[in-house]
């Protein structure tokens, strides 16, 4: 059995403010370690459930947060940026389950810790598929679904977990903190959070038959509303991408891998448009 782990940082127990997740931040070394240990807890749960092969994708900032020498030796690490599928890098045919660890809610979610969609809260206001607002979790969940792989485990703050349940009701959700505000939370002790992630990871494999892959059928319309008009000005130049409204662009396609990659590229272009 093979498991794909995608790791983000904002949803790790104890993380509440942006600078804690910023490589330039004073406390970043502590929080990257806590992120690594939460990923390890998920790996341990998977191994207990009989999983033999684990691939971990580092999906925060420039994808170089997880400490390679402290990561569980059973896992292979995919890190660095830019890379084609970023937080979904490594996903492809042959995985039985995906775990999303340390994830957060979409931009604009109330009562969520560090809610944002795609790289930076100053870039994307809302991203939609077929008119329905999405999160990084759902966007990456559909990438897994494209390869027939269910998102079996999702960990993060309470708002992020309940948002993911709207996309797939039976995902094993592990809540490690409750938001008190955008940059404030009441959090479990990291050790307790890791215990819950470990048992959640094991349970997710045990009840895998009840967790369907997230799928999109037919032509899919991607719409991205940026924070600033200049970002849409830059992105609408790509062939096939249309302007919608003052801040938005859209693209319709049948191949979800292409749509996922396009979203990542649009976010990078939007970032470049701010400089
Ligand atoms: Zn993120």
């Amino acid at each position: 059995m093979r498991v794909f782990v995608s790791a983000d940082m904002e949803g790790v127990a104890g993380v509440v403010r942006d600078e804690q997740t910023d490589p330039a931040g004073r406390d970043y070394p502590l929080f990257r370690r806590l992120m690594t240990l939460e990923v390890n807890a998920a790996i341990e749960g998977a191994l207990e459930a009989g999983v033999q092969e684990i691939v971990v994708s580092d999906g925060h900032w420039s994808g170089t947060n997880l400490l390679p020498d402290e990561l569980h030796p059973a896992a292979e690490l995919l890190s660095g940026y830019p890379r084609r599928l970023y937080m979904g890098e490594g996903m492809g045919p042959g995985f039985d389950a995906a775990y999303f660890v340390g994830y957060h809610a979409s931009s604009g979610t109330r009562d969520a810790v560090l809610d944002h969609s795609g790289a930076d809260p100053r870039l994307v206001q809302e991203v939609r598929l077929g008119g329905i607002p999405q999160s990084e979790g759902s966007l990456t969940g559909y990438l897994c679904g494209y390869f027939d792989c269910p998102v079996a485990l999702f960990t993060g703050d309470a708002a992020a977990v309940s948002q993911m349940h709207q996309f797939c009701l039976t995902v094993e959700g592990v809540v490690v903190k409750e938001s008190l505000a955008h940059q404030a939370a009441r959090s479990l002790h990291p050790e307790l959070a890791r215990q819950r992630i470990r048992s959640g990871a094991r349970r997710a494999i045990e009840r895998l038959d009840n967790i369907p892959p997230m799928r999109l059928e037919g032509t899919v319309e991607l719409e991205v509303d940026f924070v600033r008009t200049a970002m849409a000005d830059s992105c609408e130049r790509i062939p096939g991408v249309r302007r919608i409204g003052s801040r938005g662009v859209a693209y319709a396609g049948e191949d979800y891998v292409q749509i996922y990659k396009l979203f990542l590229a649009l976010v990078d272009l939007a970032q470049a448009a701010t400089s």
Side-chain angles (χ1 to χ4, degrees), residues 8-10 59-60 86-87 102-104 116-119 136:
D8 206 344
M9 198 164 189
E10 289 85 353
H60 176 74
Y86 189 31
M87 60 203 311
Y103 266 53
H104 51 83
H116 67 277
S117 304
E136 289 174 18

Side-chain angles (χ1 to χ4, degrees), residues 130 167 254:
F167 293 98
E254 308 232 327

Side-chain angles (χ1 to χ4, degrees), residues 49-129:
V51 170
Q52 292 101 11
E53 204 181 319
I54 297 151
V55 174
V56 177
S57 190
D58 189 328
H60 176 74
W61 208 274
S62 42
T64 51
N65 311 278
L66 295 168
L67 296 161
D69 59 338
E70 289 192 34
L71 188 66
H72 196 293
E76 204 174 351
L77 175 62
L78 306 182
S79 59
Y81 195 80
R83 53 186 211 252
R84 278 184 287 271
L85 297 173
Y86 189 31
M87 60 203 311
E89 187 75 49
M91 179 38 62
F95 282 100
D96 300 282
Y99 292 173
F100 293 175
V101 177
Y103 266 53
H104 51 83
S106 64
S107 181
T109 307
R110 197 178 155 179
D111 298 326
V113 181
L114 299 173
D115 55 289
H116 67 277
S117 304
D120 188 316
R122 289 163 296 184
L123 301 176
V124 176
Q125 197 164 8
E126 187 170 86
V127 48
R128 295 177 296 278
L129 291 175

Side-chain angles (χ1 to χ4, degrees), residues 125-146:
Q125 197 164 8
E126 187 170 86
V127 48
R128 295 177 296 278
L129 291 175
I132 299 168
Q134 303 292 318
S135 63
E136 289 174 18
S138 66
L139 290 169
T140 308
Y142 287 123
L143 179 76
C144 298
Y146 178 93

